[in-house]
Amino acid sequence: MGISERRRRESARLRQKIMNAARDLFAAQGYDAVTMRAIAKKIEYSPTAIYSHFQDKEALINELCSTDFIALASGFQKVGRVADPIERLRAIGRVYAEFGVKYTNHYRTMFMTPHPDFELDKKAIEKGNPQEDAYAMLKGTILEGIKAKRYRAGIRDADLVAQTVWAGIHGVISLEIAKTHDPWVDWRPIKKRIDTMLDTLVAGLTKG
């Protein structure tokens, strides 16, 4: 390996280390409370090293969210070939929930941590392309079901359905992430809670 290649790899490793540290801190303390200096301290580098990779905290959150949304969308592609749009909707819900439960700090930063509006990397994510845009795939799946008359009469707004399903699954994930702080509740297994939420949503939205 040449010197230039070694330096490139070291730079990429440091960049990833910065992003991982920032994600953990944002999830634990909130975006506003975290400084670039705090991120540098967590990885035991100087602030100068951080600024050589990211112009400011906003640039850092932009790249974090872009990276994590790409990861989420790639997970959706595993179920994209499910032919039935209602079963595909269930599968999308499960993949989304599994992502949130497995990558809790990613999920906290993406959906549970207030931060400035971010700009997704348009070179990596094309808005409206279901192959890259997770929301577009969800909405497209719902539109298929509406066109096939699988939903109840009067349900024509794919965005409204998508956001309702999203909110339901988000609630399950949020409670799972927070449940360690509420030992008084006799929690049921997470898989059963996810499946019950999906069953309830689908039953309420589709024809019997």
Side-chain angles (χ1 to χ4, degrees), residues 141-161:
T141 295
I142 292 165
L143 273 172
E144 282 187 44
I146 291 174
K147 290 177 181 177
K149 299 182 179 180
R150 300 288 299 279
Y151 286 85
R152 291 181 181 273
I155 295 180
R156 302 186 185 87
D157 188 337
D159 281 298
L160 180 59
V161 175

Side-chain angles (χ1 to χ4, degrees), residues 6-68:
R6 183 165 60 250
R7 286 177 177 171
R8 187 191 66 78
R9 292 190 182 187
E10 288 173 354
S11 177
R13 280 194 292 267
L14 176 55
R15 190 177 185 87
Q16 189 61 54
K17 195 172 183 179
I18 293 166
M19 291 172 64
N20 291 342
R23 185 187 293 111
D24 291 347
L25 288 172
F26 291 153
Q29 300 176 22
Y31 175 84
D32 289 337
V34 177
T35 64
M36 296 291 269
R37 184 174 294 277
I39 297 168
K41 183 177 180 181
K42 183 175 176 64
I43 63 173
E44 299 181 339
Y45 275 80
S46 70
T48 303
I50 305 292
Y51 284 111
S52 69
H53 286 270
F54 299 97
Q55 178 180 344
D56 51 29
K57 193 167 65 167
E58 188 171 339
L60 178 49
I61 194 72
N62 285 347
E63 180 151 348
L64 260 184
C65 288
S66 292
T67 299
D68 293 347

Side-chain angles (χ1 to χ4, degrees), residues 122-197:
K122 294 178 181 178
K123 294 179 181 178
I125 303 176
E126 180 185 358
K127 184 178 180 180
N129 180 349
Q131 300 297 315
E132 301 171 358
D133 180 341
Y135 183 78
M137 182 175 183
L138 172 61
K139 180 180 174 180
T141 295
I142 292 165
L143 273 172
E144 282 187 44
I146 291 174
K147 290 177 181 177
K149 299 182 179 180
R150 300 288 299 279
Y151 286 85
R152 291 181 181 273
I155 295 180
R156 302 186 185 87
D157 188 337
D159 281 298
L160 180 59
V161 175
Q163 290 159 29
T164 300
V165 172
W166 184 3
I169 300 302
H170 173 74
V172 176
I173 300 168
S174 299
L175 282 173
E176 174 64 13
I177 291 172
K179 74 182 178 67
T180 53
H181 303 294
D182 191 356
W184 289 17
V185 177
D186 185 11
W187 294 99
R188 293 297 183 256
I190 182 61
K191 185 179 184 304
K192 287 188 176 181
R193 284 183 278 133
I194 293 167
D195 287 343
T196 300
M197 176 58 78

Side-chain angles (χ1 to χ4, degrees), residues 61-120:
I61 194 72
N62 285 347
E63 180 151 348
L64 260 184
C65 288
S66 292
T67 299
D68 293 347
F69 273 105
I70 290 168
L72 176 60
S74 67
F76 279 12
Q77 299 315 308
K78 298 174 184 177
V79 298
R81 294 183 180 179
V82 176
D84 183 89
I86 304 304
E87 288 309 308
R88 193 187 319 138
L89 176 63
R90 291 179 188 272
I92 288 171
R94 291 191 189 97
V95 168
Y96 180 85
E98 288 166 3
F99 178 91
V101 171
K102 183 176 181 180
Y103 301 107
T104 56
N105 281 349
H106 295 61
Y107 193 86
R108 282 180 186 269
T109 303
M110 294 163 75
F111 300 114
M112 298 173 67
T113 302
H115 49 66
D117 291 340
F118 54 84
E119 286 288 335
L120 293 178

